[in-house]
Amino acid sequence: MSTTKPNLILFSIIFIVIALVSPLEEFWQIKFVPLWTDLLIYVLVVAVLLFGIQVRHKEHLRVPWRHVLQRPLAMSALVVLGVYVLIGLMDSLHFRQALEKQQGQTETQYSGDVLSLFDVLATPIRVQQEKSYSAPFSAFLYAKETIETPEGQVRDYPRLQYGGRHLKIPAQDRIPNLVMALFLSFVATLLILLVVFVVVVFFVAHHYKTAFGDTMDAIVGGKTGIPFRAMLITFSVICFLVVVVVMLADKYHILGTDKVGNDVLYLSLKSIRTGLVIGTLTTLIMLPFAIMLGIMAGHYRGWIDDVIQYIYTTLNSIPGVLLIAAAILSLQVYLANNPEMFDTVTERADLRLLFLCLILGLTSWTGLCRLLRGETFKVSQLDYIQAATAFGTGHVKTMSRHILPNITHIVLIAIVLDFSGLVLAEAVLSYVGVGVDPTTISWGNMINSARLEMARDPVVWWSLVAAFVFMFTLVLAANLFSDAVRDAFDPRITRSK
């Protein structure tokens, strides 16, 4: 089947979405703010969809991906990654809300605050800001203050404005309230899981032309080609956590609050987009340099190989942190001298995030380039490539049609393996002060702001733990999925099996 029709359908959908931007702005009274990172993220989504269409119609690509889909651990990790990606995409649709028109005003004015779709959905935990620190599920501030009482002034822990405000006597009512909420969440999760399970069984039975009962037994017994049982178990855990958050987010600060009273759960979820942007866009910037220069060095050899080796050897000799710090500090000076370039603080912070991705991409392509150079040396000795060269096939055609397809497995393995390292790199760079803008919510900034609180007595531990748990979950899921991709695409592992 030709891929022309699916490609036309995809581009038609993109054109329709673009055409609907203005009517949607008028209907919802908003003004879309297309950040550079937003545009690049959705370009990457389109590229992934197009790649999926190509995989579907090419057997040599479909076979290894089929092996990935048959790995229970990989598919469970994919479900977790899907949740992270969904949150990241919702947080990548930015807009400014219209202000109420004053008497006699004809032109619509928009708020200076740039919100995202995720911000709107997370309004209950976004707007409920306390005075300062509060522990998870607490109804009181974490530090004593002077409180006015009928008996006079006393030093005590004041009640929170939002967290636990529905509790008359927090010491007595909190535990029964939480137990009841967890029970209701468990029941709601069972109902949702039952509906999802029936839908999955129906579609699988329809696709494979099998009986409904036999399909249900196969899924429950874990005897299907795609491990639906493992995916449903992972989905049920995530669903339970989501239901708990939905039921309790407007009543408690589930993960506590930070120094200025912001909800830590909101900050942790908001940081997902920053981690995904660093991991994906940096890879997108890195790949053209690594692929082009690596193949050219291995194919042309001679002085071209010497020049490319000199470039990446010189680049590797410069400490990466110092190069990134110099670039970020130069950007800061430029932004400070040109404040009129940006309408909002969000756009200014987004440019710094994009610039950080650019610097990380320009400094991290050397390792993959070296691998592709060595693999191209080996592939160039294959008989059919030697024959193509002997028959006068051009260099560009030889590299694009014969060499590149034979080194694709290395590119795919490098992409999924480098993603985790880049997510961790953002945390480290923000910790030392040369990462994303301080106004950008990220796990690195959360860790950087929480490190000084570890010396308090009592210790404020929840911000650091929350950032670590969310980052660890993303990195672990990415590593588990990358292991399956490596096993499926590495020809040495495939042959050994």
Side-chain angles (χ1 to χ4, degrees):
M1 178 180 175
S2 174
T3 60
T4 304
K5 186 176 180 180
N7 290 345
L8 289 176
I9 295 174
L10 183 60
F11 284 115
S12 299
I13 294 174
I14 296 173
F15 178 78
I16 293 173
V17 170
I18 295 175
L20 289 176
V21 168
S22 295
L24 289 176
E25 286 184 338
E26 295 180 3
F27 180 77
W28 280 318
Q29 292 295 300
I30 60 175
K31 180 181 180 180
F32 285 108
V33 181
L35 303 179
W36 280 106
T37 53
D38 293 345
L39 298 176
L40 291 175
I41 284 174
Y42 284 104
V43 166
L44 187 60
V45 170
V46 172
V48 171
L49 292 177
L50 292 176
F51 177 73
I53 294 173
Q54 296 294 327
V55 169
R56 185 180 177 185
H57 297 93
K58 293 184 181 296
E59 183 64 22
H60 70 282
L61 293 175
R62 190 164 64 247
V63 170
W65 281 112
R66 190 181 297 124
H67 289 306
V68 175
L69 297 180
Q70 293 172 352
R71 298 276 294 271
L73 205 56
M75 295 309 294
S76 296
L78 185 61
V79 172
V80 176
L81 290 175
V83 174
Y84 274 82
V85 170
L86 179 61
I87 295 174
L89 291 178
M90 289 192 298
D91 203 17
S92 297
L93 187 62
H94 290 90
F95 53 85
R96 294 161 62 185
Q97 295 177 318
L99 300 174
E100 293 185 6
K101 290 186 178 181
Q102 303 297 324
Q103 186 175 3
Q105 180 181 346
T106 58
E107 185 178 352
T108 303
Q109 300 293 328
Y110 296 93
S111 169
D113 296 330
V114 178
L115 302 178
S116 68
L117 179 59
F118 172 77
D119 291 328
V120 175
L121 296 176
T123 297
I125 59 176
R126 177 175 61 87
V127 300
Q128 295 183 359
Q129 186 171 359
E130 305 292 351
K131 186 177 181 181
S132 186
Y133 292 112
S134 64
F137 294 105
S138 177
F140 300 91
L141 284 177
Y142 202 58
K144 288 185 177 182
E145 293 182 356
T146 302
I147 304 175
E148 293 287 346
T149 65
E151 292 78 14
Q153 294 184 344
V154 296
R155 293 284 296 176
D156 201 355
Y157 298 100
R159 286 290 298 267
L160 296 177
Q161 184 178 357
Y162 300 102
R165 60 183 173 181
H166 63 293
L167 303 175
K168 292 183 179 180
I169 306 177
Q172 298 178 5
D173 300 339
R174 184 176 61 175
I175 299 301
N177 183 261
L178 290 176
V179 171
M180 178 57 67
L182 292 176
F183 175 74
L184 295 177
S185 300
F186 181 74
V187 174
T189 302
L190 288 180
L191 295 176
I192 296 172
L193 185 61
L194 179 62
V195 174
V196 172
F197 179 73
V198 171
V199 172
V200 170
V201 172
F202 174 79
F203 279 104
V204 172
H206 178 74
H207 179 76
Y208 291 102
K209 310 297 182 184
T210 57
F212 187 88
D214 296 338
T215 304
M216 183 172 61
D217 293 338
I219 292 178
V220 173
K223 299 177 181 178
T224 53
I226 298 177
F228 290 106
R229 183 177 67 176
M231 296 173 67
L232 287 172
I233 292 174
T234 306
F235 173 79
S236 63
V237 174
I238 296 175
C239 184
F240 175 72
L241 295 176
V242 171
V243 173
V244 169
V245 169
V246 171
M247 294 191 67
L248 296 178
D250 60 339
K251 299 181 177 68
Y252 297 95
H253 296 290
I254 298 177
L255 297 180
T257 57
D258 64 359
K259 186 175 183 179
V260 295
N262 291 321
D263 192 278
V264 174
L265 175 62
Y266 170 73
L267 298 179
S268 301
L269 293 172
K270 187 77 173 174
S271 301
I272 290 177
R273 178 184 180 272
T274 305
L276 293 177
V277 166
I278 294 290
T280 55
L281 295 189
T282 301
T283 303
L284 187 66
I285 295 169
M286 171 191 71
L287 283 181
F289 294 97
I291 294 175
M292 181 179 65
L293 296 179
I295 294 178
M296 287 177 60
H299 177 71
Y300 287 108
R301 306 186 185 186
W303 67 269
I304 295 180
D305 182 27
D306 294 337
V307 170
I308 294 175
Q309 283 191 77
Y310 178 79
I311 292 174
Y312 68 64
T313 301
T314 304
L315 197 57
N316 277 337
S317 66
I318 304 173
V321 175
L322 295 180
L323 185 60
I324 294 171
I328 292 298
L329 293 175
S330 300
L331 178 66
Q332 285 181 339
V333 172
Y334 177 77
L335 295 178
N337 294 332
N338 298 274
E340 71 282 354
M341 293 178 58
F342 310 97
D343 295 333
T344 62
V345 176
T346 303
E347 293 176 286
R348 181 180 183 275
D350 182 73
L351 180 61
R352 175 164 171 172
L353 176 60
L354 179 62
F355 194 73
L356 179 62
C357 294
L358 180 64
I359 295 300
L360 285 173
L362 292 176
T363 56
S364 58
W365 60 269
T366 56
L368 179 58
C369 178
R370 186 184 293 109
L371 289 175
L372 295 182
R373 171 181 172 272
E375 190 69 14
T376 303
F377 273 141
K378 183 176 67 175
V379 171
S380 298
Q381 304 304 315
L382 297 177
D383 293 339
Y384 67 92
I385 294 182
Q386 294 284 346
T389 304
F391 280 108
T393 304
H395 293 293
V396 175
K397 190 173 183 179
T398 300
M399 289 188 292
S400 60
R401 297 192 60 179
H402 299 299
I403 296 178
L404 181 59
N406 284 279
I407 62 174
T408 304
H409 65 280
I410 294 181
V411 176
L412 290 174
I413 294 170
I415 289 175
V416 292
L417 289 177
D418 289 346
F419 175 82
S420 302
L422 292 170
V423 172
L424 295 175
E426 181 276 324
V428 174
L429 292 173
S430 297
Y431 178 77
V432 299
V434 293
V436 298
D437 192 86
T439 60
T440 301
I441 301 175
S442 71
W443 292 316
N445 282 338
M446 288 179 64
I447 294 173
N448 186 36
S449 61
R451 63 187 176 93
L452 298 177
E453 310 306 327
M454 299 302 291
R456 287 173 57 101
D457 186 22
V459 175
V460 179
W461 51 267
W462 45 88
S463 294
L464 185 64
V465 171
F468 172 78
V469 169
F470 275 85
M471 185 168 56
F472 174 78
T473 303
L474 176 60
V475 171
L476 178 62
N479 283 341
L480 292 176
F481 187 72
S482 66
D483 287 342
V485 173
R486 181 196 60 196
D487 294 344
F489 281 90
D490 194 332
R492 293 170 297 180
I493 297 177
T494 305
R495 283 196 298 266
S496 65
K497 293 182 178 181

